[in-house]
């Protein structure tokens, strides 16, 4: 089994239907689908049972459970433990595969890229009405990027062995909203894993659940994690300078402004040397 698609759901029957339909319609069916439902009180179980029949008829292996959990990362870890695929894809309730050929295209890319530890593609972000509000493509490979940003887990194929205890372990269940970011920071930002990008539209992400409260909590949890996992001297420097690095990266995309800032900086440098002499 090459791939295990893992879907986490809780009381989101409408979103679950959308997700399951996108998986069921795949032209390639040589994968398994793990569904972890948190004991939903809507009609999620009935939806999953019907989906299991339809998916099995198409040759898709379905494994599911509906029981109380301790949060989203506990549910994700449960799904990973249930999975038998060499690669894991987290496709949560409400998110969809971008086209019927996604799995087939990603399998071809895995072979072409010689089966990297993480292969990822593009994610399209939509609002509650389905309007496209953004798209993530290739993520720059640098520590700074994983200090301030991350990969999206839904458009990534991750080797299941990376979650083993002798590798990087499971998602941190003490965190409410940034455990996947912490895991990427440890594996890519501070670890040895080099993700490989492929220009394939993999998923459509429903951003309806993101709130200002979540954004505030995300900032708080990220700062807590960085203080824990980053060497103190590195934390001091990056906490102080990461914003300025982002500014320079933005300026580099606009050559005229970048040259102007560079010219001013050189003038200041020479003036400071002249005044010191």
């Amino acid at each position: 089994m090459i791939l295990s698609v893992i879907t986490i759901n809780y009381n989101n029957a409408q979103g679950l239907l959308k997700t399951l339909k996108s998986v069921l319609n795949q032209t390639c069916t040589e994968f398994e689908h793990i569904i972890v439902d948190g004991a939903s009180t809507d009609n999620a179980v009935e939806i999953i049972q019907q989906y299991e029949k339809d998916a099995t008829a198409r040759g898709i292996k379905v494994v599911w459970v509906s029981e109380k959990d301790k949060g989203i990362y506990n549910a994700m870890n449960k799904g990973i433990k249930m999975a038998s695929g060499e690669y894991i894809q987290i496709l949560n309730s409400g998110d969809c595969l971008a086209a019927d050929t996604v799995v087939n295209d990603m399998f071809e890319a895995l072979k072409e890229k010689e089966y990297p530890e993480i292969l990822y593609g593009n994610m399209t972000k939509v609002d509650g009405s389905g309007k496209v509000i953004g798209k993530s493509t290739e993520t720059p490979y640098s520590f700074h990027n994983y200090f301030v940003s991350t990969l999206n887990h839904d458009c990534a194929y991750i080797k299941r062995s990376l979650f083993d205890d002798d590798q990087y372990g499971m998602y941190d269940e003490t965190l409410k909203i940034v455990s996947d970011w912490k895991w990427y920071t440890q594996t890519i930002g501070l670890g040895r894993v080099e993700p490989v990008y492929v220009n394939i539209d993999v998923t459509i992400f429903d951003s309806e659940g993101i709130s200002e409260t979540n954004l505030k909590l995300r900032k708080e949890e990220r700062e807590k994690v960085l203080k824990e996992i980053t060497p103190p001297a590195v934390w001091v420097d990056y906490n102080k300078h990461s914003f300025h690095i982002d500014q320079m990266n933005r300026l580099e995309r606009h050559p005229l402004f970048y040259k102007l800032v560079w010219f001013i900086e050189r003038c200041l440098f020479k003036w400071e040397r002249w005044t010191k002499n």
Side-chain angles (χ1 to χ4, degrees), residues 161-170:
S161 58
L162 292 176
F163 293 98
D164 292 344
D165 290 337
D166 60 350
Q167 292 289 318
Y168 296 95
M170 296 281 187

Side-chain angles (χ1 to χ4, degrees), residues 7-276:
T7 296
I8 309 303
N9 177 72
Y10 180 66
N11 284 344
N12 183 25
Q14 185 176 356
L16 180 63
L17 272 171
K18 187 168 60 173
T19 303
L20 299 184
K21 182 179 179 181
S22 76
V23 177
L24 183 63
N25 289 340
Q26 290 302 299
T27 57
C28 173
T29 59
E30 297 175 4
F31 60 92
E32 68 174 1
H33 195 178
I34 310 295
I35 305 170
V36 182
D37 179 69
S40 295
T41 56
D42 56 16
N43 61 330
V45 171
E46 289 81 1
I47 291 171
I48 295 169
Q49 288 173 334
Q50 182 59 52
Y51 169 74
E52 182 180 23
K53 294 177 183 178
D54 296 338
T56 301
R58 291 214 61 221
I60 301 172
K61 178 184 176 183
V62 177
V63 181
W64 65 276
V65 64
S66 181
E67 60 188 23
K68 289 186 177 181
D69 54 53
K70 299 176 183 177
I72 186 170
Y73 294 115
N74 174 252
M76 285 184 181
N77 286 340
K78 189 183 298 185
I80 293 168
K81 291 174 184 176
M82 294 167 63
S84 59
E86 183 180 357
Y87 285 87
I88 296 291
Q89 181 189 17
I90 306 290
L91 185 72
N92 286 339
S93 176
D95 303 333
C96 300
L97 298 177
D100 295 347
T101 59
V102 166
V103 172
N104 181 74
D105 294 343
M106 288 294 281
F107 279 8
E108 291 295 324
L110 282 172
K111 183 178 179 181
E112 180 183 337
K113 302 295 184 180
E114 298 181 345
Y115 298 95
E117 291 180 300
I118 297 178
L119 179 76
Y120 72 100
N122 306 325
M123 181 196 78
T124 300
K125 184 182 292 187
V126 300
D127 62 16
S129 66
K131 180 182 177 181
V132 175
I133 58 175
K135 186 173 183 177
S136 67
T137 54
E138 186 169 11
T139 302
Y141 179 63
S142 70
F143 172 70
H144 171 71
N145 185 71
Y146 291 91
F147 186 90
V148 299
S149 185
T150 191
L151 282 183
N152 299 295
H153 62 237
D154 61 304
C155 58
Y157 280 24
I158 304 171
K159 273 200 172 179
R160 186 167 55 91
S161 58
L162 292 176
F163 293 98
D164 292 344
D165 290 337
D166 60 350
Q167 292 289 318
Y168 296 95
M170 296 281 187
Y171 292 120
D172 184 347
E173 296 180 15
T174 67
L175 298 169
K176 295 184 180 299
I177 201 169
V178 304
S179 188
D180 50 336
W181 166 81
K182 176 183 179 181
W183 191 86
Y184 274 136
T185 302
Q186 291 177 305
T187 55
I188 302 173
L190 297 171
R192 58 171 178 76
V193 177
E194 295 187 31
V196 174
Y197 169 74
V198 59
N199 187 18
I200 295 173
D201 290 342
V202 178
T203 52
I204 300 172
F205 173 74
D206 185 353
S207 64
E208 187 176 11
I210 295 177
S211 68
E212 291 301 318
T213 302
N214 286 347
L215 295 176
K216 182 175 182 293
L217 178 60
R218 182 177 69 181
K219 181 179 179 181
E220 293 173 353
E221 286 194 341
R222 280 191 174 189
E223 184 169 326
K224 175 179 177 289
V225 168
L226 285 170
K227 287 181 178 179
E228 291 175 354
I229 69 174
T230 309
V234 175
W235 159 252
V236 170
D237 281 345
Y238 267 84
N239 191 44
K240 181 179 180 181
H241 297 297
S242 63
F243 177 71
H244 303 297
I245 294 173
D246 283 338
Q247 285 182 314
M248 291 307 297
N249 287 338
R250 268 196 307 277
L251 283 169
E252 284 183 339
R253 296 197 293 268
H254 305 280
L256 181 61
F257 291 107
Y258 179 75
K259 289 178 181 179
L260 178 61
V261 171
W262 181 86
F263 174 75
I264 294 172
E265 190 277 331
R266 290 293 85 191
C267 290
L268 286 172
F269 173 74
K270 292 181 179 180
W271 179 79
E272 286 176 351
R273 289 187 61 182
W274 179 73
T275 55
K276 286 180 181 179

